[in-house]
């Protein structure tokens, strides 16, 4: 995100980073938890940038979980997306959550799963101290996997029946076929967390608004090029290139009227 923001600043653009709920030291701001289905948070930021800041060209970019969320937002908006939303980009998006969680659970990813679960538990303990009586963390003590965490914590406190219900309702794949704005998806065929078969789904393949770039290597959100210079951090370069191409092709946007949402 910092690398992409630096590129945006160098191009004379603004850059806004959105912290998920409870991330970046924001735990005290709300009693709610983040989850991979909260595309409404992104939609709220989009309309605030339009209505309060009068921006006429807006691009969203998300990595991993953020990639799922920007695609979900765009799919839900479909052809009703405001004209100010000129494009979205997703790098290694976890757009089929159940498959991604299963991939993290593979023996080869044991170290990563242990790290993720430990971090989630620590975050919940901090959250519980800030909001006494809000969360019952006793079931969390037996949690060892991401799916188990989502069963006893995410589903319980975010309005889902269980982890499977959460994954089904929060995956961008269910709405990606409805995306109506130019979209770039960058993923690696060797991503250990995001199975590549998700990207052959007809919802993606048949949507001509979605451009897929899928090199054989790149891991999960890595894409470090062997070359120096502007392309060293390859994914950031592709995202910025995509946004610049769209921006350059657009007519003067001063005539765009702000949406009336009252």
């Amino acid at each position: 995100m910092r690398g992409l923001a630096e590129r945006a600043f160098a191009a004379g653009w603004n850059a806004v980073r959105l912290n998920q709920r409870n991330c970046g030291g924001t735990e005290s701001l709300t009693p709610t938890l983040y989850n991979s289905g909260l595309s409404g948070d992104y939609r709220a930021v989009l309309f605030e940038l339009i209505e309060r800041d009068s921006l006429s060209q807006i691009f969203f970019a998300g990595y991993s979980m953020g990639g799922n969320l920007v695609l979900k937002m765009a799919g839900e908006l479909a052809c009703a997306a405001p004209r100010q939303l000129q494009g979205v980009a997703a790098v290694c998006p976890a757009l089929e959550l159940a498959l991604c969680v299963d991939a993290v659970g593979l023996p080869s990813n044991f170290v990563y799963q242990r790290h993720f679960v430990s971090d989630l538990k620590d975050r919940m303990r901090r959250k519980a101290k800030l909001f006494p009586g809000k969360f019952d963390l006793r079931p969390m003590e037996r949690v060892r996997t991401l799916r188990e965490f989502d069963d006893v914590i995410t589903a319980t406190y975010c309005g889902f029946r269980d982890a499977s219900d959460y994954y089904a309702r929060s995956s961008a794949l269910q709405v990606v076929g409805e995306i109506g704005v130019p979209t770039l998806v960058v993923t690696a065929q060797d991503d250990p967390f995001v199975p590549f078969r998700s990207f052959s789904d007809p919802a993606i393949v048949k949507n001509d608004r979605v451009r897929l770039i899928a090199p054989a290597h790149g891991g999960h959100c890595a894409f470090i090029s062997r070359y120096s210079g502007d392309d060293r951090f390859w994914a950031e370069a592709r995202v910025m290139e995509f946004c610049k191409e769209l921006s350059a092709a657009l007519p003067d946007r001063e005539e765009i009227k702000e949406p009336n949402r009252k």
Side-chain angles (χ1 to χ4, degrees):
M1 291 295 96
R2 291 169 64 182
L4 190 55
E6 183 178 8
R7 290 174 184 271
F9 287 140
W13 294 20
N14 299 306
V16 176
R17 186 191 72 188
L18 171 62
N19 279 325
Q20 304 290 350
R21 299 176 186 225
N22 307 310
C23 297
T26 64
E27 286 102 333
S28 63
L29 298 182
T30 174
T32 58
L33 307 177
Y34 75 73
N35 68 71
S36 292
L38 288 178
S39 49
D41 286 0
Y42 287 62
R43 196 161 53 245
V45 171
L46 169 64
F47 283 106
E48 179 169 318
L49 292 174
I50 294 171
E51 296 176 350
R52 191 188 72 177
D53 299 304
S54 301
L55 298 183
S56 60
Q57 294 186 23
I58 301 171
F59 299 89
F60 272 68
Y63 283 62
S64 194
M65 173 183 168
N68 178 71
L69 282 160
V70 298
L71 294 177
K72 186 170 181 285
M73 178 194 72
E76 290 167 344
L77 290 169
C79 293
R83 288 183 293 174
Q84 291 88 340
L85 180 62
Q86 301 295 347
V88 300
V91 178
C92 298
L95 52 75
E96 197 168 4
L97 293 169
L99 285 184
C100 294
V101 168
D102 290 345
V104 174
L106 294 173
S108 57
N109 288 325
F110 168 75
V111 172
Y112 297 104
Q113 172 144 266
R114 184 175 61 182
H115 170 74
F116 294 151
V117 171
S118 176
D119 182 68
L120 287 167
K121 286 184 173 183
D122 288 344
R123 190 182 302 278
M124 281 305 304
R125 293 185 185 105
R126 293 195 301 271
K127 191 73 173 179
K129 289 180 180 179
L130 289 168
F131 297 92
K134 174 71 176 177
F135 305 101
D136 178 7
L137 300 187
R138 288 173 296 179
M140 190 179 74
E141 298 309 312
R142 65 174 183 270
V143 165
R144 296 293 180 270
T145 68
L146 287 179
R147 185 178 285 271
E148 289 172 351
F149 180 89
D150 288 332
D151 255 329
V152 302
I153 298 295
T154 309
T156 299
Y157 295 106
C158 295
F160 300 102
R161 184 183 64 251
D162 54 22
S164 294
D165 181 48
Y166 162 48
Y167 302 148
R169 291 166 55 189
S170 301
S171 294
L173 191 60
Q174 64 176 334
V175 295
V176 73
E178 303 301 315
I179 291 176
V181 298
T183 298
L184 174 69
V185 175
V186 178
T187 194
Q189 296 180 42
D190 66 349
D191 190 317
F193 304 148
V194 182
F196 185 61
R197 66 179 183 272
S198 296
F199 300 92
S200 61
D201 190 280
I204 294 177
V205 175
K206 294 183 179 181
N207 188 338
D208 60 6
R209 306 296 282 170
V210 178
R211 182 197 308 177
L212 175 66
I213 302 178
H217 304 292
H220 186 64
C221 301
F223 300 106
I224 305 300
S225 171
R226 71 182 67 179
Y227 304 107
S228 60
D230 192 56
D231 262 8
R232 174 63 172 164
F233 298 100
W234 186 85
E236 289 98 303
R238 299 290 74 76
V239 171
M240 199 63 207
E241 178 182 78
F242 168 75
C243 296
K244 283 182 175 180
E245 287 177 358
L246 287 174
S247 182
L250 292 170
D252 186 356
R253 308 302 283 177
E254 290 183 358
E255 298 180 358
I256 291 178
K257 295 180 179 180
E258 311 306 329
N260 184 0
R261 299 174 64 226
K262 294 181 180 179

